[in-house]
Amino acid sequence: MFTGDRSGEYLYRSLHRAGFASQPQSIQAGDGLRLTDAWITAAAHCAPPDNKPSPGELRNCRPWLERELDLLSRVSVVVVLGKMAQDAYLSILKTRGAITRLADYRFGHNVLYPLNPALLCSYHPSQQNTSTGKLTQEMLDAVFLHAAQLIENDVSRSAPVPAVPPPLSPPSRISRKR
């Protein structure tokens, strides 16, 4: 994800500077990039028109995101890139009973919410945000350095965990009663 695109240029430089990525760029799959203590996923796993997924597309992708979250262990911090990512993540937490009100979590850059795991927010490194200066490289670096500090201070972690994709089977299509 983010490999070979403009958003990835910003993202992987920041991940590298904070110690999460083995190199500051990812041009293509198999280029040697290794992530440590990091996992990249998305609320939408497609490239929708105008980079704006519809509510239906987000609903269709949600089971995949939920499955990934279920498979990850020892998560100390979730960094969301953009309000859409924050809304998708918080919606899952609300459905699971971890939070009661979405309105209690206003989106803002480098805003930290003391959830378990901690929630750290950032503007998305989209071309629109980076070309207008809404998000600079330094601002994104600060978010991932903040995340690294939070992980370092989390005493429940014993050693870095290489990010190896867990086996991912298609999510169950069994409907849940709410």
Side-chain angles (χ1 to χ4, degrees):
M1 216 165 280
F2 293 101
T3 296
D5 71 15
R6 189 77 189 246
S7 297
E9 291 175 16
Y10 275 78
L11 179 61
Y12 289 113
R13 278 194 300 260
S14 290
L15 288 169
H16 180 69
R17 289 174 180 152
F20 294 113
S22 62
Q23 59 194 41
Q25 62 186 6
S26 182
I27 299 166
Q28 62 187 19
D31 63 9
L33 176 75
R34 297 260 186 257
L35 297 177
T36 300
D37 282 343
W39 182 261
I40 297 173
T41 189
H45 285 80
C46 60
D50 299 323
N51 278 331
K52 293 181 183 180
S54 70
E57 289 169 319
L58 290 170
R59 262 191 316 279
N60 288 340
C61 289
R62 181 175 162 150
W64 295 98
L65 177 59
E66 288 184 280
R67 178 78 170 129
E68 284 180 295
L69 293 172
D70 290 341
L71 290 170
L72 296 171
S73 63
R74 299 180 354 156
V75 176
S76 300
V77 181
V78 171
V79 176
V80 292
L81 300 177
K83 185 169 182 337
M84 185 185 312
Q86 177 181 310
D87 289 348
Y89 180 67
L90 289 175
S91 176
I92 291 169
L93 294 185
K94 186 172 187 284
T95 299
R96 293 177 175 189
I99 63 171
T100 54
R101 291 174 10 112
L102 298 176
D104 292 338
Y105 303 90
R106 289 198 49 184
F107 180 78
H109 183 75
N110 211 358
V111 171
L112 174 67
Y113 289 102
L115 300 173
N116 186 17
L119 174 61
L120 184 57
C121 308
S122 173
Y123 293 129
H124 190 282
S126 67
Q127 265 192 293
Q128 179 179 354
N129 287 345
T130 57
S131 66
T132 61
K134 184 172 187 174
L135 179 67
T136 65
Q137 187 70 64
E138 294 75 21
M139 290 169 68
L140 193 57
D141 288 352
V143 167
F144 285 102
L145 289 169
H146 192 177
Q149 280 183 321
L150 292 167
I151 291 169
E152 188 175 310
N153 293 336
D154 185 350
V155 294
S156 68
R157 300 181 56 81
S158 57
V161 179
V164 177
L168 188 62
S169 58
S172 170
R173 292 291 171 188
I174 299 170
S175 64
R176 295 184 197 150
K177 291 186 180 181
R178 296 179 195 240

